[in-house]
């Protein structure tokens, strides 16, 4: 799996849980005592498990692994792991230890779970430890406690078929195979359309890490209400990739089926581990990564640079480097974008357009300046209308 200077994946080897023998796959499916139809969040986790994005995990966490990760951000073997990866179920009556469970997604059999651990977690503790709060004003904590199943079922996973989504996906092995040998790989995770300020940051990162490849690796699974819908986002990424690929041949694009948790600092570690498994040597952590606000007051749950500081703290242990940048701000057509501190020290007037104003202009069909957003991206968002936003 070594095609870049990234070295080994997390835990030393890239996990591949897909059963290659058809007869073995049929036998596993035939031995199942229950079938579970996955939701999109769960299907994203199955994709990441069976294809090694969550290496070194070989299945959904059992109770011992879960408790260890919740309390210490480490697996029982002491390997770093940001957040628990669990299969929640509302009803486990009749299910017993050792049973096999068939997992289905979108009408396809995708995996068999050996149920070695059936347990009822303390979700208030999980929320407090992993999200830093047990408040239901945190959108993912609300989902965790009020919407998701009360029981977790853990155990080894056998992949029958990699889950398929309505967008192209690439496994860690596929991305690694396409990365040029001997080059550093800078990964960028995002969950929103890429506007000009983001793109300027990407150019800075690729330039600062000499002779590097920049892996633009958006998460495309479920996210929080108010974000741009996954399929609409992918259309904007594809348009931007086509628009910029000649000028920036060292950019690579791949889409990750992953459900955002909005867990701030601990999610930053989760993202670093995933990108390490995809071959990255460096990871960009910007301001307020994986952050969210109270659904009541609008107050931030995390400090602007909490995720960045946590990433830097554990970067050495993960064998990665965190590349971090200030906000890029626009100071006019002559100089374009500069770092915020540079604009401040030189007394430059910053031209701004808030996210709220951007969305208002989108809906009102008013002009959006090209210094703020790529024209191709704006056209896709306008065409999608209100359907662009997650409910």
């Amino acid at each position: 799996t070594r095609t870049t200077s990234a070295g080994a994946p997390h835990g030393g080897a890239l996990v591949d849980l897909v059963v290659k023998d058809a007869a073995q796959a049929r036998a596993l499916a035939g031995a199942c005592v229950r079938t579970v139809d996955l939701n999109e969040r769960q299907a994203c986790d199955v994709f990441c498990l069976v294809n090694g994005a969550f290496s070194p995990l070989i299945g959904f966490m059992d109770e011992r692994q879960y408790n260890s990760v919740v309390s210490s951000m480490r697996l029982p073997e002491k390997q770093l792991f940001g957040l628990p990866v669990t299969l929640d179920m509302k009803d486990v009556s009749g299910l017993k230890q050792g049973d096999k469970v068939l997992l289905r997604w979108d009408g396809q059999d995708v995996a068999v779970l050996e149920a070695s651990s059936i347990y009822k977690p303390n979700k208030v503790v999980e929320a407090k430890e992993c999200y830093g709060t047990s408040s239901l004003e945190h959108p993912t904590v609300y989902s965790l406690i009020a919407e998701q199943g009360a029981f977790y079922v853990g155990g080894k996973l056998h992949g029958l078929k990699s889950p398929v989504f309505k967008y192209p996906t690439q496994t860690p092995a596929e991305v690694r195979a396409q990365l040029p040998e001997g080059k550093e790989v800078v990964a960028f995770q995002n969950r929103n359309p890429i506007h000009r300020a983001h793109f300027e940051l990407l150019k800075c990162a690729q330039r600062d890490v000499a002779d590097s490849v920049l892996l633009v690796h958006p998460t495309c699974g479920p996210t929080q209400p108010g974000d741009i819908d996954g399929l609409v986002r992918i259309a904007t990424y594809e348009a931007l990739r086509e628009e910029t690929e000649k000028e920036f041949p060292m950019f690579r694009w791949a889409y990750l089926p992953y459900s955002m948790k909005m867990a701030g600092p601990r999610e930053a570690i989760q993202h670093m581990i995933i990108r390490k498994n995809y071959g990255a040597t460096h990871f960009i952590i910007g301001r307020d990564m994986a952050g969210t606000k109270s659904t009541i007051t609008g107050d931030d749950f995390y400090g602007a640079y909490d995720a960045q500081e946590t990433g830097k703290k554990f970067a050495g242990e993960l064998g990665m480097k965190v590349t971090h940048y200030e906000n890029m701000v626009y100071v006019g057509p002559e100089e374009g974008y500069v770092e915020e501190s540079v604009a401040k020290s030189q007394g430059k007037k910053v031209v701004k357009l808030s996210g709220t104003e951007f969305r208002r202009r989108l809906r009102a069909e008013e002009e959006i300046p090209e210094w703020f957003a790529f024209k191709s991206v704006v056209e896709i968002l306008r065409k999608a209308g209100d359907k662009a936003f997650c409910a």
Side-chain angles (χ1 to χ4, degrees):
T1 55
R2 181 169 184 160
T3 55
T4 72
S5 53
H10 194 42
L14 196 62
V15 169
D16 179 1
L17 302 177
V18 178
V19 177
K20 308 299 189 288
D21 182 86
Q24 186 189 354
R26 282 195 299 273
L28 281 163
C32 292
V33 301
R34 182 179 294 199
T35 298
V36 171
D37 287 305
L38 303 172
N39 57 38
E40 188 183 2
R41 169 178 54 80
Q42 295 166 330
C44 288
D45 283 344
V46 169
F47 177 95
C48 289
L49 284 166
V50 301
N51 293 303
F54 284 151
S55 296
L57 297 186
I58 58 169
F60 284 104
M61 288 181 181
D62 60 28
E63 190 169 16
R64 180 168 169 261
Q65 291 173 314
Y66 164 79
N67 286 332
S68 180
V69 169
V70 167
S71 63
S72 68
M73 207 167 73
R74 291 182 184 277
L75 293 163
E77 299 78 19
K78 302 306 177 190
Q79 292 156 321
L80 202 63
F81 214 87
L83 294 165
V85 178
T86 55
L87 180 69
D88 63 292
M89 289 176 62
K90 287 184 164 60
D91 178 22
V92 292
S93 57
L95 190 66
K96 61 185 186 299
Q97 201 172 349
D99 283 347
K100 290 184 173 65
V101 180
L102 182 63
L103 305 182
R104 288 175 63 84
W105 162 243
D106 201 22
Q108 300 280 321
D109 296 346
V110 292
V112 171
L113 173 66
E114 292 184 27
S116 61
S117 180
I118 303 165
Y119 57 105
K120 188 171 185 178
N122 185 329
K123 291 191 177 184
V124 176
V125 171
E126 179 182 343
K128 189 71 174 170
E129 293 287 346
C130 296
Y131 299 92
T133 179
S134 54
S135 170
L136 298 183
E137 294 175 28
H138 187 296
T140 314
V141 171
Y142 177 83
S143 175
L144 175 73
I145 293 173
E147 296 175 340
Q148 295 176 24
F151 300 92
Y152 290 164
V153 182
K156 183 172 171 52
L157 207 59
H158 303 272
L160 304 178
K161 174 184 170 63
S162 185
V164 175
F165 300 88
K166 293 175 182 174
Y167 49 89
T169 59
Q170 286 177 290
T171 68
E174 288 168 342
V175 168
R176 281 174 168 261
Q178 294 168 11
L179 294 171
E181 287 193 36
K183 291 188 182 293
E184 307 267 79
V185 179
V186 183
F188 175 66
Q189 187 282 138
N190 60 303
R191 66 175 207 277
N192 285 306
I194 294 173
H195 296 313
R196 293 279 183 184
H198 296 122
F199 202 77
E200 290 300 316
L201 184 149
L202 298 184
K203 285 160 59 178
C204 283
Q206 199 269 329
R207 187 171 60 239
D208 289 354
V209 181
D211 197 29
S212 62
V213 172
L214 191 126
L215 175 63
V216 187
H217 201 215
T219 55
C220 299
T223 182
Q224 67 179 348
D227 280 357
I228 302 293
D229 172 74
L231 292 178
V232 176
R233 275 186 285 132
I234 285 164
T236 69
Y237 300 144
E238 284 293 289
L240 190 54
R241 180 182 61 78
E242 290 173 16
E243 190 175 326
T244 60
E245 61 188 349
K246 284 184 182 175
E247 189 178 353
F248 301 98
M250 294 313 291
F251 281 33
R252 298 287 188 277
W253 299 71
Y255 307 128
L256 178 72
Y258 172 89
S259 174
M260 285 294 297
K261 309 298 185 290
M262 317 313 299
R266 287 190 56 156
E267 189 151 30
I269 298 301
Q270 198 87 330
H271 284 300
M272 286 178 75
I273 289 169
I274 292 169
R275 274 51 185 214
K276 176 179 171 65
N277 288 328
Y278 268 88
T281 55
H282 296 64
F283 187 59
I284 298 170
I285 301 182
R287 188 180 185 280
D288 197 30
M289 181 185 184
T292 191
K293 299 176 185 294
S294 163
T295 53
I296 306 297
T297 66
D299 293 339
D300 289 308
F301 275 103
Y302 312 109
Y305 298 101
D306 287 358
Q308 202 174 90
E309 290 306 312
T310 301
K312 286 193 286 186
K313 179 180 177 181
F314 293 102
E317 183 177 346
L318 288 172
M320 297 181 78
K321 291 180 181 175
V322 170
T323 55
H324 49 91
Y325 298 89
E326 299 171 45
N327 280 353
M328 303 295 290
V329 294
Y330 185 71
V331 294
E334 286 186 17
E335 292 184 66
Y337 280 87
V338 298
E339 288 191 332
E340 197 167 22
S341 64
V342 173
K344 199 170 185 178
S345 67
Q346 295 179 358
K348 302 280 186 187
K349 185 182 177 184
V350 174
V351 186
K352 292 184 177 180
L353 185 68
S354 71
T356 302
E357 175 63 10
F358 170 65
R359 287 189 288 272
R360 189 197 68 76
R361 290 191 186 195
L362 264 183
R363 289 185 166 114
E365 296 281 330
E366 293 179 14
E367 183 190 357
I368 292 169
E370 285 205 43
W371 62 259
F372 180 83
F374 290 88
K375 192 175 179 182
S376 58
V377 171
V378 171
E379 285 173 359
I380 289 165
L381 294 175
R382 279 217 163 110
K383 190 176 178 182
D386 283 345
K387 289 185 295 183
F389 299 95
C390 297

